[in-house]
Amino acid sequence: MRLRKLILAVVSAIVCLPVWGQAVAAAAADSCDTSGRPETIIESIRRGNNIVVEMPDDLARRMEARQDTEANPSAETQDASDGEQKEERYQRPNSQGKIVGYRVQIYADNNARIAKAEARMRERAVGGAFPYNTYVTYSSPYWRLRVGDFRTQDEASKAAAAIRKRFPKYAREVRVVRDHVYAR
């Protein structure tokens, strides 16, 4: 049903575009009005003619897959074997081996006197308690401590909950952030 609505929206936007495709070749004489100009898509639809939409096979497969997931949304997100969410698409790592993913931010401050030392201190504490990679960065004017290289937000949320539980005094500042992470 959505495909029909999409096609009708595109068709209505292209009111004066002549009808092209396989149907035109078969009915060239019938597709012109009395003045000899080609019939528009809207006119052809109003007359009840079939409209042929040509598209690449890859696009057709994507549209079919999307319609299937709209009809059964639980099939898209649940994996029968372990109940985890499926990856929606594969990301190719960039030249530095990074993809768009998530990290857990534990600290961010712009106090010039203590921010760097505090970020390093928390890095040692969290790095000793968890097996996650730690990243202390300076992006003017903030020093930040972020941990982990998570592909999904769900994985990062679980790690954030574990960090909050282990370090309750950091809990107020712990949050999941979108970042470029190393592909694993």
Side-chain angles (χ1 to χ4, degrees):
M1 191 65 183
R2 282 186 174 216
L3 179 60
R4 286 183 183 164
K5 289 181 182 178
L6 176 65
I7 290 172
L8 289 176
V10 170
V11 167
S12 65
I14 310 172
V15 174
C16 295
L17 184 67
V19 176
W20 296 101
Q22 297 170 355
V24 173
D30 295 337
S31 67
C32 294
D33 63 5
T34 56
S35 67
R37 69 176 176 81
E39 184 177 43
T40 64
I41 294 173
I42 299 294
E43 293 166 348
S44 182
I45 290 173
R46 286 187 181 140
R47 284 187 42 209
N49 292 345
N50 289 334
I51 303 295
V52 176
V53 178
E54 295 180 5
M55 67 180 87
D57 292 337
D58 186 42
L59 179 60
R61 282 192 300 274
R62 286 186 199 172
M63 291 177 71
E64 288 172 4
R66 189 171 196 175
Q67 285 177 344
D68 291 344
T69 57
E70 286 175 0
N72 188 6
S74 63
E76 174 188 350
T77 57
Q78 291 297 319
D79 185 359
S81 62
D82 58 359
E84 291 185 17
Q85 287 190 345
K86 290 183 178 179
E87 283 297 314
E88 291 202 14
R89 61 188 164 95
Y90 173 77
Q91 294 181 33
R92 182 174 295 144
N94 66 11
S95 61
Q96 299 167 342
K98 291 185 173 184
I99 61 172
V100 176
Y102 298 89
R103 288 197 171 131
V104 178
Q105 181 170 295
I106 297 174
Y107 180 75
D109 196 2
N110 64 350
N111 186 328
R113 291 185 299 139
I114 64 167
K116 182 178 180 180
E118 181 70 19
R120 296 283 182 201
M121 183 190 74
R122 290 185 185 196
E123 176 188 30
R124 287 189 298 274
V126 173
F130 292 98
Y132 307 127
N133 294 333
T134 58
Y135 305 93
V136 173
T137 59
Y138 178 73
S139 180
S140 184
Y142 287 93
W143 282 94
R144 293 185 174 99
L145 169 61
R146 293 181 176 176
V147 299
D149 293 305
F150 305 103
R151 286 184 176 266
T152 65
Q153 189 172 10
D154 190 46
E155 290 175 354
S157 296
K158 289 176 184 175
I163 292 169
R164 282 187 197 101
K165 185 175 181 181
R166 175 73 171 84
F167 297 100
K169 66 181 181 180
Y170 302 161
R172 183 175 55 91
E173 298 179 67
V174 174
R175 63 186 41 97
V176 175
V177 294
R178 194 168 174 95
D179 202 351
H180 287 89
V181 301
Y182 290 102
R184 29 179 182 124

